[in-house]
Amino acid sequence: MSVQHPVLFFPGTLCDERIFLPLWRQLNIAQRRYVPLQWASSQEEMLALSEDRILDNEKVHLVGYSMGGFIASLVAQRNPHNIASVTLIGYNPEGLSKEEIAKRKQLTSMLKQGNFKPDNDAYLSRFIHPSRLNDDKVAGVVKSMAQDLGKTTLLNHTLATTPRESTVKALAKINAPTTLIAAQQDAIAPATAIAQLKAQLPKANFQVIENAGHMMVLEQTDAVASIIAKQIGV
């Protein structure tokens, strides 16, 4: 029987362990490690927290959601000999579009002025599938994380990962199985944009989740868990 490698989980912007709890309940992982990116106030701190959880001579599976996908990609690039596999959920390796960068600039300005509450419905509707806006297991969890982590965390996360350079070339060089999971109705990391990377990432596995928005980890947990289980061999 093969030894199971540790699995590192990287959360998205304004997320903590709660984003992964339903997933963890479905995955039989012997060594699960969570990277608390909510504690970080810069990209350097995010990378330090990540690499602290990798021992010198071990291989690990990386599972990154949204912003966590960006950090996981950088960790894979910096530690190629330690990577067993990479799974990127709701993350477009091309980086941020001009439209998204413009929205982020507006957001950071509002946050600095103290005029924004990250748990407001208009903001959250960008991330959550319309059918789940009144679902406590989805919208309720997202609101709770936003309320608890607050606008300082949102500001830190946004500034630390904007602009966001492309990691496509770095991912193409990784000598480990790579899977990109996109949601059909994701407005943040559109499935169509991610699918266009197939030519540049010929070795990667592309999966699309139906009836889900950016919060697919909470919205379609079964489907996401099934893909990750195959990737990490559980």
Side-chain angles (χ1 to χ4, degrees), residues 129-143:
H129 191 273
S131 68
R132 310 303 286 273
L133 283 170
N134 296 312
D135 187 338
D136 281 344
K137 291 181 180 179
V138 180
V141 173
V142 177
K143 282 188 178 183

Side-chain angles (χ1 to χ4, degrees), residues 105-124:
K105 285 182 178 178
Q106 184 181 19
L107 174 63
T108 54
S109 176
M110 291 172 68
L111 287 167
K112 286 176 180 178
Q113 293 168 14
N115 297 332
F116 184 79
K117 291 185 178 180
D119 60 343
N120 83 75
D121 289 340
Y123 176 69
L124 296 179

Side-chain angles (χ1 to χ4, degrees), residues 67-86:
M67 176 190 75
F70 174 55
I71 301 303
S73 298
L74 296 181
V75 170
Q77 181 180 358
R78 289 158 56 107
N79 304 273
H81 301 299
N82 296 96
I83 307 306
S85 76
V86 181

Side-chain angles (χ1 to χ4, degrees), residues 1 57 86 99 106 109 121 125 128 141 150 159 167 169 180 193 197-198 206 225 231:
M1 185 176 174
N57 297 313
V86 181
E99 181 187 18
Q106 184 181 19
S109 176
D121 289 340
S125 65
I128 301 170
V141 173
L159 291 173
T167 58
K169 288 182 180 178
L180 284 81
L197 300 176
K198 287 182 179 180
F206 288 78
Q231 174 84 307

Side-chain angles (χ1 to χ4, degrees), residues 10-11 34-40 46-47 49-50 67-68 71 157:
F10 302 75
Y34 171 74
V35 184
L37 297 181
Q38 72 268 23
W39 297 351
M46 290 181 179
L47 291 169
L49 284 168
S50 304
M67 176 190 75
I71 301 303
H157 281 180

Side-chain angles (χ1 to χ4, degrees), residues 20 23 63-66 69 87-91 179-182 214 216-217 224 228:
F20 292 125
L23 204 58
V63 178
Y65 165 64
S66 193
T87 303
L88 306 172
I89 308 166
Y91 164 65
T179 294
L180 284 81
I181 307 176
H214 194 60
M216 71 189 91
V217 178
V224 176
I228 293 173

Side-chain angles (χ1 to χ4, degrees), residues 85-105:
S85 76
V86 181
T87 303
L88 306 172
I89 308 166
Y91 164 65
N92 184 352
E94 281 190 304
L96 300 173
S97 65
K98 289 180 180 178
E99 181 187 18
E100 186 61 29
I101 290 174
K103 286 180 180 177
R104 283 167 169 251
K105 285 182 178 178

